[in-house]
Amino acid sequence: MGAVFKILIVEDDEVIAETLRQRLSSWGYETQTVKDFQDVLGQFVRFSPHLVLLDITLPYFNGYHWCSEIRKVSKVPVLFISSASEPLNIIMTMQLGGDDFVVKPFDLDVLVAKIQALLRRSYDFAGQTELLEHRGAILNRDDATLLCQGQRVELTKNEFRILQVLMENKGKTVSRETLMLRLWKTEDFVDEKTLTVNIARLRKKLEEVGLQDFIVTKKGMGYLVE
């Protein structure tokens, strides 16, 4: 099969979820089943799957909601699995960004064949979206966007690069010198004052979407996302 593909299973029926996990694992896929149905998007970002199996009827929020949320940050294929096989439901899943629909009860071999076909079409020519997540903030390294609680935060190039470095080193203090060097490689010379101004503006934007103290100052050392 080549590279090991990762599949996220969003199914609240534990028997069905475990059956899917075992069958897909036997085919060599790396799988994860969602346990917290209030934080499907967070688990999606942390696991960074190549494909999502998504039921429509779920606790808290339905599959339509989570497909829409996933589509805000990623183009990975989403395969719906549901007993709600009415034409309107199938149309809805396609309009919201779903890639295919399998009706329950389904034949496991047919499902695996559909998954294999979707993965081939999606990854023969395309790479995987590069996402970083912390405290609900999702930074997309592919298109330099930041999404938080459904809100898109507009970042300048320098603000994006600062946040990228800090989130890539989450839990570690990054020195001002390291940040300036990272910015200097891609922009004109960045001095201490310019960095301070960029950090201040970035913090204000983060606070406006509810991310208080997202960037912590370590006096005499640098900055930290923890």
Side-chain angles (χ1 to χ4, degrees):
M1 188 175 62
V4 176
F5 288 108
K6 298 196 291 185
I7 298 175
L8 182 67
I9 301 167
V10 190
E11 165 62 69
D12 63 320
D13 185 311
E14 293 183 5
V15 174
I16 294 176
E18 180 59 19
T19 300
L20 288 169
R21 190 195 67 75
Q22 290 182 8
R23 176 58 67 92
L24 292 171
S25 295
S26 73
W27 275 88
Y29 296 109
E30 182 180 345
T31 61
Q32 186 175 108
T33 55
V34 165
K35 302 299 183 186
D36 181 359
F37 289 94
Q38 295 187 75
D39 186 34
V40 172
L41 185 62
Q43 291 170 85
F44 167 84
V45 172
R46 289 188 289 274
F47 185 52
S48 190
H50 298 87
L51 181 141
V52 178
L53 288 179
L54 181 61
D55 193 5
I56 292 177
T57 306
L58 297 167
Y60 305 108
F61 302 98
N62 62 29
Y64 301 136
H65 169 81
W66 290 120
C67 185
S68 296
E69 291 299 296
I70 288 169
R71 279 291 167 262
K72 291 177 182 177
V73 300
S74 175
K75 296 179 181 178
V76 301
V78 175
L79 174 55
F80 277 89
I81 48 173
S82 177
S83 56
S85 59
E86 293 79 5
L88 181 59
N89 289 323
I90 298 174
I91 292 168
M92 277 279 290
T93 62
M94 299 300 110
Q95 289 178 336
L96 291 169
D99 295 277
D100 206 342
F101 192 104
V102 175
V103 179
K104 294 179 182 176
F106 47 77
D107 183 284
L108 281 171
D109 291 329
V110 171
L111 179 64
V112 170
K114 281 182 172 285
I115 288 170
Q116 290 172 333
L118 264 178
L119 290 171
R120 279 197 306 271
R121 290 201 301 269
S122 301
Y123 296 102
D124 276 353
F125 304 104
Q128 188 179 5
T129 301
E130 291 290 330
L131 304 176
L132 296 169
E133 186 271 345
H134 182 60
R135 283 176 52 186
I138 300 171
L139 189 70
N140 189 327
R141 289 178 287 191
D142 281 350
D143 61 10
T145 59
L146 177 68
L147 193 74
C148 183
Q149 304 299 328
Q151 299 182 66
R152 191 173 295 275
V153 182
E154 296 298 327
L155 301 175
T156 66
K157 287 182 180 179
N158 279 350
E159 290 166 354
F160 165 73
R161 288 177 182 129
I162 290 167
L163 197 55
Q164 179 183 0
V165 175
L166 293 176
M167 290 181 72
E168 285 175 346
N169 292 277
K170 186 167 59 177
K172 301 176 184 177
T173 300
V174 179
S175 70
R176 290 176 62 87
E177 291 75 15
T178 297
L179 286 171
M180 286 190 289
L181 181 61
R182 183 71 170 264
L183 298 179
W184 194 7
K185 285 181 178 178
T186 50
E187 293 287 332
D188 294 332
F189 176 70
V190 176
D191 60 17
E192 291 266 356
K193 184 177 179 181
T194 303
L195 178 62
T196 300
V197 170
N198 276 275
I199 291 282
R201 287 176 179 167
L202 177 56
R203 276 182 166 145
K204 184 177 180 182
K205 290 181 179 181
L206 294 171
E207 288 169 359
E208 287 172 353
V209 291
L211 293 172
Q212 306 290 333
D213 301 319
F214 192 82
I215 299 174
V216 178
T217 299
K218 292 293 184 179
K219 196 170 181 179
M221 297 172 65
Y223 301 98
L224 171 69
V225 164
E226 60 181 359

